[in-house]
Coordinates of all heavy atoms in Angstrom, one line a residue:
I24 N 98.8 114.6 106.0 CA 97.4 114.9 106.6 C 97.4 114.7 108.1 O 97.4 113.5 108.5 CB 96.4 114.1 105.9 CG1 96.4 114.3 104.4 CG2 95.0 114.4 106.5 CD1 95.4 113.4 103.6
P25 N 97.5 115.7 108.9 CA 97.5 115.5 110.4 C 96.1 115.4 110.9 O 95.2 116.2 110.5 CB 98.2 116.7 110.9 CG 98.0 117.8 109.9 CD 97.8 117.1 108.6
L26 N 95.8 114.5 111.7 CA 94.5 114.3 112.2 C 94.5 114.1 113.7 O 95.2 113.1 114.2 CB 93.8 113.0 111.6 CG 93.6 113.1 110.1 CD1 93.1 111.7 109.6 CD2 92.6 114.1 109.7
S27 N 93.9 115.0 114.5 CA 93.9 114.8 115.9 C 93.0 113.7 116.3 O 91.8 113.7 116.0 CB 93.4 116.1 116.6 OG 93.1 116.0 117.9
Q28 N 93.5 112.7 117.1 CA 92.7 111.5 117.5 C 91.5 112.0 118.3 O 90.3 111.5 118.0 CB 93.5 110.6 118.3 CG 94.7 110.0 117.5 CD 95.6 109.2 118.3 OE1 95.2 108.5 119.2 NE2 96.9 109.3 118.1
S29 N 91.6 112.9 119.2 CA 90.5 113.3 120.0 C 89.5 114.1 119.3 O 88.3 114.0 119.5 CB 91.0 114.0 121.3 OG 91.7 115.2 120.9
M30 N 90.0 114.9 118.3 CA 89.1 115.8 117.6 C 88.2 115.1 116.5 O 87.2 115.6 116.1 CB 89.8 117.0 117.0 CG 90.3 118.0 118.1 SD 91.3 119.3 117.5 CE 90.0 120.3 116.6
L31 N 88.6 113.9 116.2 CA 87.8 113.1 115.3 C 86.5 112.8 115.9 O 85.6 112.3 115.2 CB 88.5 111.8 114.9 CG 89.7 111.9 113.9 CD1 90.4 110.6 113.7 CD2 89.3 112.5 112.6
Q32 N 86.4 113.0 117.2 CA 85.1 112.7 117.9 C 84.1 113.8 117.6 O 82.9 113.7 117.9 CB 85.4 112.7 119.4 CG 84.2 112.3 120.3 CD 83.7 110.9 120.2 OE1 84.4 110.1 119.5 NE2 82.6 110.6 120.8
L33 N 84.5 114.9 117.0 CA 83.7 116.1 116.8 C 83.2 116.2 115.4 O 84.0 116.3 114.5 CB 84.5 117.4 117.2 CG 85.2 117.4 118.5 CD1 86.1 118.6 118.7 CD2 84.2 117.3 119.7
P34 N 81.9 116.2 115.2 CA 81.3 116.3 113.9 C 81.8 117.5 113.1 O 82.0 117.4 111.9 CB 79.8 116.3 114.1 CG 79.6 115.6 115.4 CD 80.8 116.0 116.2
W35 N 82.0 118.7 113.7 CA 82.4 119.8 113.0 C 83.8 119.7 112.5 O 84.1 120.1 111.4 CB 82.3 121.1 113.8 CG 83.3 121.3 114.9 CD1 83.1 121.0 116.2 CD2 84.6 121.8 114.8 NE1 84.3 121.3 116.9 CE2 85.2 121.8 116.0 CE3 85.4 122.2 113.7 CZ2 86.5 122.2 116.3 CZ3 86.7 122.6 113.9 CH2 87.3 122.6 115.2
F36 N 84.7 119.0 113.2 CA 86.0 118.7 112.8 C 86.0 117.7 111.6 O 86.8 117.9 110.6 CB 86.9 118.2 113.9 CG 88.3 117.9 113.6 CD1 89.2 118.9 113.4 CD2 88.7 116.6 113.4 CE1 90.5 118.7 113.1 CE2 90.1 116.3 113.0 CZ 91.0 117.4 112.9
D37 N 85.2 116.7 111.7 CA 85.1 115.7 110.6 C 84.7 116.5 109.3 O 85.2 116.2 108.2 CB 84.1 114.6 110.9 CG 84.5 113.8 112.2 OD1 85.7 113.8 112.5 OD2 83.6 113.3 112.8
T38 N 83.7 117.4 109.4 CA 83.2 118.1 108.3 C 84.4 119.0 107.7 O 84.5 119.0 106.5 CB 82.0 119.0 108.6 OG1 81.0 118.1 109.1 CG2 81.6 119.8 107.4
F39 N 85.1 119.6 108.5 CA 86.2 120.5 108.1 C 87.3 119.6 107.3 O 87.7 120.0 106.3 CB 86.9 121.1 109.3 CG 88.2 121.8 109.0 CD1 88.2 123.0 108.3 CD2 89.4 121.3 109.4 CE1 89.4 123.7 108.0 CE2 90.6 121.9 109.1 CZ 90.6 123.1 108.4
I40 N 87.6 118.5 107.9 CA 88.6 117.6 107.3 C 88.1 117.1 105.9 O 88.8 117.0 104.9 CB 89.1 116.5 108.2 CG1 89.8 117.0 109.4 CG2 90.0 115.5 107.5 CD1 91.1 117.8 109.1
Y41 N 86.8 116.7 106.0 CA 86.2 116.2 104.7 C 86.2 117.2 103.6 O 86.5 116.9 102.5 CB 84.7 115.8 105.0 CG 84.0 115.2 103.9 CD1 84.3 113.9 103.4 CD2 83.0 115.9 103.2 CE1 83.6 113.4 102.3 CE2 82.3 115.4 102.1 CZ 82.6 114.1 101.7 OH 82.0 113.6 100.6
K42 N 86.0 118.5 103.9 CA 86.1 119.5 102.9 C 87.5 119.7 102.3 O 87.7 119.9 101.1 CB 85.6 120.9 103.5 CG 84.1 120.9 103.7 CD 83.7 122.3 104.3 CE 82.2 122.3 104.6 NZ 81.8 123.6 105.2
R43 N 88.5 119.5 103.2 CA 89.9 119.6 102.7 C 90.3 118.3 102.0 O 91.1 118.4 101.1 CB 90.8 119.9 103.9 CG 90.8 121.3 104.4 CD 92.0 121.5 105.3 NE 92.2 123.0 105.5 CZ 93.3 123.5 106.1 NH1 94.2 122.7 106.5 NH2 93.4 124.8 106.2
H44 N 89.9 117.2 102.5 CA 90.4 115.9 102.0 C 89.2 115.0 101.7 O 89.0 114.0 102.4 CB 91.4 115.3 102.9 CG 92.5 116.2 103.3 ND1 93.6 116.5 102.5 CD2 92.7 116.9 104.5 CE1 94.4 117.3 103.1 NE2 93.9 117.5 104.3
P45 N 88.4 115.2 100.8 CA 87.2 114.4 100.6 C 87.4 113.0 100.3 O 86.6 112.1 100.6 CB 86.4 115.1 99.4 CG 87.5 115.9 98.7 CD 88.4 116.3 99.8
N46 N 88.6 112.7 99.7 CA 88.9 111.3 99.3 C 89.4 110.5 100.5 O 89.7 109.3 100.4 CB 90.0 111.2 98.2 CG 89.4 111.8 96.9 OD1 88.3 111.7 96.6 ND2 90.3 112.5 96.2
L47 N 89.5 111.2 101.7 CA 90.0 110.5 102.9 C 89.0 109.6 103.5 O 89.3 108.5 104.1 CB 90.5 111.5 103.9 CG 91.3 111.1 105.1 CD1 92.6 110.5 104.7 CD2 91.5 112.2 106.1
F48 N 87.7 109.9 103.3 CA 86.6 109.2 103.9 C 85.8 108.5 102.8 O 85.8 108.9 101.7 CB 85.6 110.2 104.7 CG 86.3 111.0 105.7 CD1 86.9 112.2 105.4 CD2 86.3 110.6 107.0 CE1 87.4 113.0 106.4 CE2 86.8 111.4 108.0 CZ 87.4 112.6 107.7
S49 N 84.9 107.6 103.2 CA 83.9 107.0 102.3 C 82.8 108.0 102.2 O 82.1 108.1 101.1 CB 83.4 105.7 102.8 OG 82.7 105.8 104.0
K50 N 82.5 108.8 103.2 CA 81.6 109.9 103.2 C 81.9 110.8 104.4 O 82.8 110.4 105.3 CB 80.2 109.5 103.3 CG 79.8 108.6 104.4 CD 78.4 108.1 104.3 CE 78.0 107.1 105.4 NZ 76.6 106.6 105.3
N51 N 81.3 112.0 104.5 CA 81.6 112.9 105.6 C 81.5 112.1 107.0 O 80.6 111.4 107.2 CB 80.5 114.0 105.6 CG 80.8 115.1 106.6 OD1 81.5 114.9 107.6 ND2 80.4 116.3 106.3
G52 N 82.6 112.3 107.8 CA 82.7 111.6 109.0 C 81.5 111.8 109.9 O 81.1 110.8 110.7
S53 N 80.9 113.0 109.9 CA 79.7 113.2 110.8 C 78.5 112.3 110.4 O 77.6 112.1 111.2 CB 79.3 114.7 110.8 OG 79.0 115.1 109.5
A54 N 78.5 111.9 109.1 CA 77.4 111.1 108.6 C 77.7 109.6 108.9 O 76.8 108.8 108.8 CB 77.2 111.3 107.1
L55 N 79.0 109.2 109.1 CA 79.3 107.8 109.3 C 78.7 107.3 110.6 O 78.2 106.2 110.7 CB 80.8 107.7 109.5 CG 81.6 107.8 108.1 CD1 83.1 108.0 108.5 CD2 81.4 106.6 107.2
E56 N 78.7 108.2 111.6 CA 78.1 107.8 112.9 C 77.7 109.1 113.6 O 78.6 109.8 114.3 CB 79.2 107.0 113.8 CG 78.7 106.7 115.2 CD 77.3 105.9 115.1 OE1 77.2 105.0 114.4 OE2 76.4 106.4 115.9
P57 N 76.5 109.5 113.5 CA 76.1 110.8 114.1 C 76.1 110.9 115.6 O 76.1 112.0 116.2 CB 74.7 111.0 113.5 CG 74.2 109.6 113.2 CD 75.4 108.8 112.8
S58 N 76.1 109.8 116.3 CA 76.1 109.8 117.7 C 77.5 109.7 118.3 O 78.4 109.2 117.6 CB 75.2 108.7 118.3 OG 75.7 107.4 117.9
P59 N 77.7 110.1 119.5 CA 79.1 110.0 120.1 C 79.6 108.6 120.3 O 80.8 108.4 120.4 CB 78.9 110.7 121.5 CG 77.6 111.5 121.4 CD 76.7 110.8 120.4
V60 N 78.7 107.6 120.5 CA 79.1 106.2 120.7 C 78.4 105.3 119.7 O 77.3 105.7 119.2 CB 78.9 105.8 122.1 CG1 79.8 106.6 123.1 CG2 77.5 105.9 122.5
K61 N 78.9 104.1 119.5 CA 78.3 103.1 118.7 C 78.4 101.8 119.3 O 79.4 101.4 119.8 CB 79.0 103.1 117.3 CG 78.4 102.1 116.3 CD 79.2 102.1 115.0 CE 78.7 101.0 114.1 NZ 77.4 101.3 113.5

């Protein structure tokens, strides 16, 4: 499973990966942290 470190910053990319590998996350990455910073 290749994951671009920089593209994990993008909610659309997290959603794409989540659809392909739902067991990779606890939930869709875009829902983990909706803002760019925490």
Side-chain angles (χ1 to χ4, degrees):
I24 302 175
L26 299 170
S27 166
Q28 296 171 40
S29 60
M30 290 179 69
L31 286 176
Q32 184 71 7
L33 307 173
W35 73 260
F36 179 76
D37 298 337
T38 299
F39 170 75
I40 296 297
Y41 181 74
K42 288 179 179 177
R43 282 196 164 190
H44 307 283
N46 294 327
L47 193 64
F48 305 87
S49 64
K50 55 184 176 181
N51 189 331
S53 60
L55 287 168
E56 178 53 51
S58 63
V60 296
K61 179 182 178 68

